[in-house]
Amino acid sequence: MERSSIMTVQRLMRLRTNTFMSAQIPSSGYPARHLHMQMIQGCFGGSRANAMTSMPTLVEVGAACPIRPLSSVPTPLVKMMTDAIEMQRNKTQRLFDLESFGSNDWDEIESLLFWWASQETMEGLDWSWKILDRLAIECSSKNVKYNDMESQLKGKMTAWLNLTVNSWRFLVLDPQSAEMTTSNEPALMTTENILNKIDSFPPHILPDAQTYSMIIDAKIMQDPSKAAQFAEQILEQMHQESRLNHRVEPDLVTYNSVINAWSKSGLQNAGEKAEALLQRMEELGLKLGTISFNSVISAWANSNDPTAGQRAELLLRRMLELSRQGNDDMHPNTITYNSVIDAWAKSGDLSAGKKAESLLSEMAEQYNTGNGDTKPDTLSYNSAITAWAKSRDPNAGMR
């Protein structure tokens, strides 16, 4: 059996057990696969039912398989899956062999691009980019007018681009993706390569805010030390481009992604930068919530700034006040408190231990009075202990 087919099947089986797929992405708070389904729905007419019924046999077969090693999967089933992959390869190649696309080809293009992007494999990603490249050639040809293209596709080009970028992001976020790459498959593109690729497309294939937010998320994983400056540059570029293309206007998710980049940077000015972005979001009228504040607090905790504890706790107090005023999107949770305690622990402040223990008691009190979102966990206690240990308080050992 062809090695690339085996690797594709192995990855399909492994992805079903990979906890990464159900983990929350910090910038958005939604499970990764949920975000993928949202884009699929947009591409296939808006309903989950339409998206799922359009899904090919291979995915249905994979979903029906019990979780077990590939070696224990019956050979006929593996053959069925690899045959399905080969069928899609042939269908895609036949499409490429056409001199130009007719009006009846667009549904086939959509189906194939969705199929390959949803595989979340290097081969699937490679085919997805090839389909977009072929579309770019078609769009640039003299036979295709922009108005005709726009009326036929009804804005689906951006959704197709996002499906492909999201597939690439999945592979970047998955630490085992490199292990599943065969020697004849191309390496994952860097974020800079992705941006250059998007810039090379004709105006029919336009990115939107979601495109850039996903690229920022991937940059955080690929190069966290440089992600913050990269994200800031992308943010300013989006604001400039939005004058001509309103779809790239930065939204709440974009700003959360940039704040998350600062949070992961470890730079001493990360807290200041993240909080400045929070203020800018308010000025733009974006609806702030727990995710935005948690990311800023985390930026302070990871900044090594001696005032981090105080600044993080001020943000917590502000969240509590907004929550009391009736803001349903502003409820501090265990993550919030843990980040503030962590900020105090890293501050080296003489009062850090007392502050951390007070916050721990506050969490427990809220939980005991019915707030299930503030239940102290192991990290809460460990961070409080660390705060005492680093506080230089003479009574720290007893505490």
Side-chain angles (χ1 to χ4, degrees), residues 10-30:
Q10 285 178 326
R11 183 172 175 81
L12 268 172
M13 301 301 293
R14 182 177 62 77
L15 279 174
R16 297 187 59 248
T17 62
N18 195 338
T19 55
F20 144 75
M21 294 309 299
S22 61
Q24 288 190 334
I25 297 175
S27 67
S28 62
Y30 289 107

Side-chain angles (χ1 to χ4, degrees), residues 183-343:
S183 58
N184 62 339
E185 288 179 334
L188 267 178
M189 286 191 285
T190 64
T191 47
E192 289 76 13
N193 293 148
I194 294 291
L195 288 173
N196 291 335
K197 184 91 171 171
I198 293 172
D199 288 342
S200 71
F201 287 142
H204 310 81
I205 308 176
L206 287 172
D208 62 7
Q210 188 176 34
T211 316
Y212 288 116
S213 297
M214 290 188 291
I215 291 172
I216 293 171
D217 284 342
K219 181 67 174 181
I220 295 170
M221 178 62 72
Q222 284 188 330
D223 193 356
S225 64
K226 298 179 180 178
Q229 290 88 344
F230 172 87
E232 287 273 5
Q233 291 173 1
I234 293 295
L235 181 66
E236 296 310 318
Q237 177 183 329
M238 291 173 70
H239 275 295
Q240 292 177 11
E241 290 183 6
S242 66
R243 298 169 186 169
L244 299 175
N245 176 15
H246 68 90
R247 288 181 293 184
V248 299
E249 185 174 358
D251 56 15
L252 179 65
V253 175
T254 309
Y255 270 91
N256 282 346
S257 294
V258 181
I259 291 173
N260 186 46
W262 281 110
S263 173
K264 299 293 193 295
S265 70
L267 298 172
Q268 190 165 1
N269 65 339
E272 291 283 1
K273 290 286 189 178
E275 196 162 339
L277 286 167
L278 193 70
Q279 182 177 347
R280 187 176 181 184
M281 291 168 72
E282 286 187 281
E283 293 169 354
L284 291 171
L286 296 175
K287 190 175 182 180
L288 305 183
T290 303
I291 292 173
S292 304
F293 272 79
N294 281 357
S295 292
V296 176
I297 291 171
S298 179
W300 277 112
N302 296 327
S303 68
N304 294 316
D305 188 298
T307 66
Q310 299 172 27
R311 299 295 293 270
E313 186 159 348
L314 283 174
L315 287 168
L316 169 63
R317 299 305 163 200
R318 186 178 168 200
M319 290 179 72
L320 290 168
E321 180 59 30
L322 290 171
S323 179
R324 280 192 289 268
Q325 291 175 4
N327 189 332
D328 294 332
D329 297 313
M330 199 68 66
H331 297 301
N333 53 28
T334 300
I335 295 173
T336 315
Y337 277 95
N338 284 353
S339 295
V340 178
I341 293 173
D342 186 41

Side-chain angles (χ1 to χ4, degrees), residues 117-176:
S118 66
Q119 302 311 303
E120 298 156 18
T121 64
M122 288 296 296
E123 182 186 12
L125 178 61
D126 187 43
W127 280 112
S128 298
W129 283 121
K130 286 178 179 177
I131 292 173
L132 286 176
D133 287 338
R134 181 66 174 82
L135 284 172
I137 294 172
E138 189 74 15
C139 293
S140 301
S141 70
K142 295 180 180 179
N143 298 326
V144 177
K145 296 180 180 179
Y146 181 78
N147 290 336
D148 293 340
M149 180 71 71
E150 189 174 43
S151 63
Q152 288 182 38
L153 301 183
K154 298 178 181 178
K156 288 183 179 179
M157 286 287 196
T158 298
W160 295 353
L161 172 62
N162 283 346
L163 276 172
T164 304
V165 172
N166 197 44
S167 180
W168 164 77
R169 182 187 64 159
F170 275 147
L171 291 171
V172 172
L173 295 177
D174 181 1
Q176 298 183 23

